[in-house]
Amino acid sequence: ISLNSVDSALSSLKNCQSYIDTGMHIATHVALDLVESFNDVEDVNSMENVMLEYAAMDRELKHYMTAVEETVNQIKREKPENIPDLKNLVKEKFTALESKNSDSDLQSNEKFLYFKDQLKEMRKQFCYQSDNDNEAIEQIDEDIAVTQSQMNFICPITQMEMKRPVRNKICGHTYEEDAIQKIIQTRKQQKKNVRCPKIGCSHADVKESDLVPDEALKRAIDSQNKR
């Protein structure tokens, strides 16, 4: 087997990553739909299991690609006269990586963390409480108990209602996507850091990579506007 054919196969494997990402994206949206329509908690939890299954596939695929890449790089580096049994070499490296697996790997998957975070925010926005905690439902905080029309949907930059809110994973504040992106790009050209525009926030280095779509907040805004 030529190394070129291995590189080609590796490229195909990387395409599989996009299918997993798409599946996790769809599962997240389905779960948010279920929360928004106040479906049974069991239905929402089933989507969490789906996300964990995707996370497991994601981990396995990444381990296999790592095993292939390390094997190819090793052969290119050592340049043996006869190419060894690639299948066995890859299998050994893959098995070694898989042997270190733990449940915490899946729980710390970036897209799974986003899924959990958005579910939490969604339940907060729609005053929905999971009875998964086996505890009496605590009194909802005043900032959550207010009606949706009184909730703060205003961007701290534009001072207008947000249409495409993104949340900063570091400080938790939300902004209109276009507005914060423009600030980041301008500051980047000036070689300066971006301070969080939210008054009172001490976070002084907002990065584009720290911003994630706040689907839960967007749905809450859309829901209020429909009324």
Side-chain angles (χ1 to χ4, degrees):
I1 302 175
S2 70
L3 293 183
N4 285 337
S5 64
V6 174
D7 288 337
S8 176
L10 191 59
S11 178
S12 297
L13 283 175
K14 288 178 180 177
N15 288 334
C16 294
Q17 186 74 53
S18 65
Y19 297 124
I20 293 175
D21 291 344
T22 299
M24 297 183 90
H25 177 74
I26 292 173
T28 298
H29 276 259
V30 169
L32 296 182
D33 286 341
L34 290 170
V35 174
E36 187 172 359
S37 56
F38 297 95
N39 273 54
D40 191 85
V41 173
E42 187 176 337
D43 294 332
V44 179
N45 289 343
S46 70
M47 297 315 300
E48 181 172 331
N49 292 331
V50 169
M51 287 293 291
L52 287 172
E53 289 176 12
Y54 272 122
M57 285 190 285
D58 181 66
R59 178 180 61 187
E60 185 175 354
L61 179 61
K62 285 178 177 175
H63 281 171
Y64 191 76
M65 288 193 295
T66 298
V68 173
E69 287 172 344
E70 288 183 356
T71 300
V72 170
N73 290 335
Q74 179 183 336
I75 292 172
K76 287 180 178 178
R77 186 173 59 252
E78 296 176 356
K79 297 179 180 178
E81 289 185 13
N82 298 313
I83 295 181
D85 189 332
L86 294 178
K87 185 177 179 180
N88 282 338
L89 281 176
V90 169
K91 185 177 179 180
E92 286 176 9
K93 292 182 183 295
F94 175 71
T95 301
L97 290 169
E98 286 284 290
S99 67
K100 298 176 183 177
N101 287 349
S102 69
D103 290 341
S104 61
D105 296 339
L106 306 182
Q107 299 285 341
S108 61
N109 178 281
E110 186 177 357
K111 285 185 171 56
F112 180 74
L113 289 175
Y114 176 74
F115 168 85
K116 293 288 286 184
D117 176 70
Q118 285 294 289
L119 268 188
K120 178 183 175 183
E121 290 300 314
M122 196 71 178
R123 284 170 171 147
K124 203 183 287 185
Q125 298 290 0
F126 287 85
C127 298
Y128 178 86
Q129 175 73 29
S130 168
D131 56 16
N132 215 24
D133 302 326
N134 296 322
E135 297 176 356
I137 298 176
E138 298 179 357
Q139 184 176 359
I140 301 175
D141 294 337
E142 288 183 8
D143 61 326
I144 298 174
V146 293
T147 62
Q148 289 186 359
S149 61
Q150 295 173 315
M151 293 173 73
N152 184 14
F153 298 151
I154 305 301
C155 170
I157 304 168
T158 65
Q159 293 303 309
M160 296 174 65
E161 185 177 85
M162 290 178 278
K163 291 183 172 63
R164 295 176 62 184
V166 291
R167 188 153 52 86
N168 192 322
K169 292 188 292 185
I170 306 301
C171 64
H173 293 126
T174 53
Y175 334 98
E176 180 65 52
E177 184 177 24
D178 288 344
I180 189 65
Q181 292 285 10
K182 285 178 182 176
I183 292 178
I184 291 174
Q185 291 304 318
T186 299
R187 287 291 191 176
K188 189 175 182 180
Q189 292 173 358
Q190 299 171 344
K191 297 183 179 180
K192 294 180 179 179
N193 290 342
V194 179
R195 176 175 287 278
C196 175
K198 186 73 173 180
I199 295 175
C201 182
S202 60
H203 183 48
D205 190 15
V206 179
K207 292 184 173 66
E208 188 174 356
S209 58
D210 293 329
L211 304 177
V212 294
D214 197 329
E215 178 68 23
L217 180 57
K218 184 179 185 305
R219 285 170 181 248
I221 294 172
D222 291 344
S223 176
Q224 175 187 261
N225 290 337
K226 285 177 183 176
R227 296 184 184 184

